[in-house]
Amino acid sequence: MSSSPPADGWFAIAHGALDVRGSALFDAGAEILMVPTDPGDALCLVGAGAALWRRLIDRAPVGDGDLDPAEREMLAQMSVAGLVSRDPSHPARVLRLDPPTLSSPLHELVYALTARVAAQHGIPCVFTKGPALFLQGLREREHSGDVDVWCDPAQGDILAAALEPWGWSREPDPWRGTSVHHTATMTPQRWGCEIDVHRRFPGLTLADADALAIVLRDAEPMRFAGVEIRVPRADTHAVLAAVHAVRPVIGAGPRTRATSDTAALLLARAPGSLDRARELGAVGVLRDELAPLAPPGSLDGDHGVPRDWAWRAESSRARAYWAALRGEPPTTRARLLLRFVWPPDDIALASARRAGEATDDPDRARRRRLVRGLREWLRARG
């Protein structure tokens, strides 16, 4: 689709923008928090710069003849930073400034940025869990520490790579390229907010793409930092959050009563969750939590256990990983076994960081990882 011809004037653009005047979270004088359209950090406009950018929203287009020399200089700097455009149909054009919806404005900008980057690459996606559950009345807690985005499974790697220039790095994962792998964890370099790019949602018996298609079919819009994102409909979201709540933590054994109660409460708060659980193939893992919502015996016909569920419920990480390995094809199994015993540098160093060991020596990290694994394996056998 071709863009409109350049207008005789300027428009404000951003990958997310918030009016933070008077916010206790920022220094006095801070006015507009935004993400530029070129890869970079969040910016905060104050004073004359903020006033000019507001003008580009409220009175657009603003022609060069309507600007004094100081404003033209500021506009030139904004153009270099990716904050202004002469294209009235620019996909990132800002038409209004809203105050923050979330208690963490920076977190809200990350939602907006992720949605923009996905849209730029034509990647269908939906944002799950997090503050959307609070806004839909499904949980009391508003804030979350990360952003979860579920996208077309064939394009998850594309989205992860597209986020890297903006300040995230992909966490090494020994399971990458296998059926076990379901999430690319994007670690922030500066933003302070992790992004989890999901290619599928463990706990559903449907094929990955089929499950996402159902969720996208009637996803609801929410507006974060001036950008429309999509989240699952409330009853669908309750099912997904409940499945996540009861998902076994690797090596920690079966679910606890607390996680089961959390899931049951989520489902009870969303009329229609029983039907959505059936449609998504989630009854198998939520049978106990759905029982109060269903007539006696009506769930008996719903069967099926999703892949990579049973192995997660093993009593230790060593047992869990061994069970997961056995589910892979022989050639993949051999490659994974080598990767776990003597991993590449990036995986070894990431493992050391997670274990709280400070080292930049891959060989030392590999040896220490091997020792930890053997100890855990011996404990599991005992």
Side-chain angles (χ1 to χ4, degrees):
M1 182 176 66
S2 61
S3 60
S4 301
D8 185 20
W10 296 93
F11 303 86
I13 60 172
H15 277 339
L18 291 167
D19 190 337
V20 296
R21 286 178 297 186
S23 171
L25 299 174
F26 299 90
D27 293 337
E31 293 191 43
I32 303 173
L33 186 67
M34 62 173 64
V35 183
T37 57
D38 295 329
D41 296 335
L43 303 174
C44 190
L45 295 182
V46 301
L52 175 59
W53 206 72
R54 287 182 191 277
R55 203 166 133 205
L56 300 181
I57 299 171
D58 299 335
R59 303 179 188 175
V62 175
D64 294 322
D66 299 324
L67 302 166
D68 61 34
E71 290 173 329
R72 283 195 288 272
E73 175 61 26
M74 283 191 290
L75 199 63
Q77 296 174 7
M78 289 181 181
S79 180
V80 171
L83 299 177
V84 296
S85 171
R86 286 186 178 273
D87 181 1
S89 63
H90 194 288
R93 181 180 170 187
V94 179
L95 299 175
R96 72 184 198 200
L97 268 178
D98 296 325
T101 298
L102 305 182
S103 59
S104 171
L106 280 172
H107 192 190
E108 188 167 341
L109 287 181
V110 175
Y111 273 102
L113 171 59
T114 304
R116 289 285 200 202
V117 171
Q120 284 181 332
H121 290 79
I123 301 174
C125 67
V126 62
F127 291 84
T128 64
K129 301 179 288 183
L133 290 171
F134 169 80
L135 295 172
Q136 290 174 317
L138 296 174
R139 78 175 189 190
E140 285 79 17
R141 178 169 57 90
E142 183 259 3
H143 186 57
S144 293
D146 56 11
V147 166
D148 290 278
V149 57
W150 183 9
C151 70
D152 174 8
Q155 300 183 78
D157 288 342
I158 297 173
L159 179 55
L163 289 167
E164 289 181 344
W166 289 93
W168 281 267
S169 57
R170 183 167 184 165
E171 190 74 10
D173 189 334
W175 294 103
R176 185 173 176 182
T178 73
S179 63
V180 172
H181 182 260
H182 71 276
T183 302
T185 299
M186 308 300 295
T187 303
Q189 298 165 4
R190 297 175 300 277
W191 285 83
C193 178
E194 184 178 281
I195 303 173
D196 289 332
V197 180
H198 297 259
R199 59 179 297 274
R200 62 187 180 86
F201 208 96
L204 310 179
T205 58
L206 293 187
D208 302 338
D210 293 342
L212 179 61
I214 289 174
V215 176
L216 284 171
R217 182 187 63 203
D218 49 16
E220 300 175 343
M222 283 190 179
R223 196 172 185 85
F224 286 168
V227 175
E228 185 177 283
I229 71 167
R230 307 287 289 178
V231 302
R233 199 175 76 179
D235 51 3
T236 304
H237 213 172
V239 172
L240 296 176
V243 168
H244 180 74
V246 303
R247 188 173 74 191
V249 177
I250 298 174
R255 74 189 71 177
T256 64
R257 171 52 58 186
T259 59
S260 184
D261 289 346
T262 297
L265 183 58
L266 284 161
L267 296 168
R269 285 176 169 169
S273 59
L274 175 59
D275 291 337
R276 301 301 277 176
R278 283 183 165 136
E279 187 176 17
L280 288 166
V283 173
V285 299
L286 292 175
R287 193 175 305 277
D288 292 343
E289 292 75 20
L290 287 166
L293 308 178
S298 63
L299 298 178
D300 294 346
D302 291 276
H303 299 290
V305 176
R307 66 182 186 272
D308 78 351
W309 195 263
W311 67 264
R312 287 175 169 269
E314 292 285 348
S315 58
S316 71
R317 294 177 71 88
R319 287 181 179 275
Y321 288 155
W322 183 246
L325 276 171
R326 291 202 306 267
E328 294 295 314
T331 53
T332 304
R333 195 183 311 160
R335 175 168 50 87
L336 278 172
L337 190 58
L338 178 61
R339 193 185 296 176
F340 274 105
V341 173
W342 202 252
D345 290 358
D346 58 347
I347 293 176
L349 292 172
S351 178
R353 287 196 303 271
R354 287 193 293 270
E357 295 184 358
T359 181
D360 58 1
D361 181 347
D363 285 334
R364 174 180 170 80
R366 276 187 279 264
R367 290 193 297 269
R368 295 299 302 160
R369 174 189 170 92
L370 187 57
V371 169
R372 289 195 304 272
L374 287 172
R375 285 174 178 168
E376 186 170 347
W377 177 257
L378 290 172
R379 284 197 301 268
R381 287 178 64 85

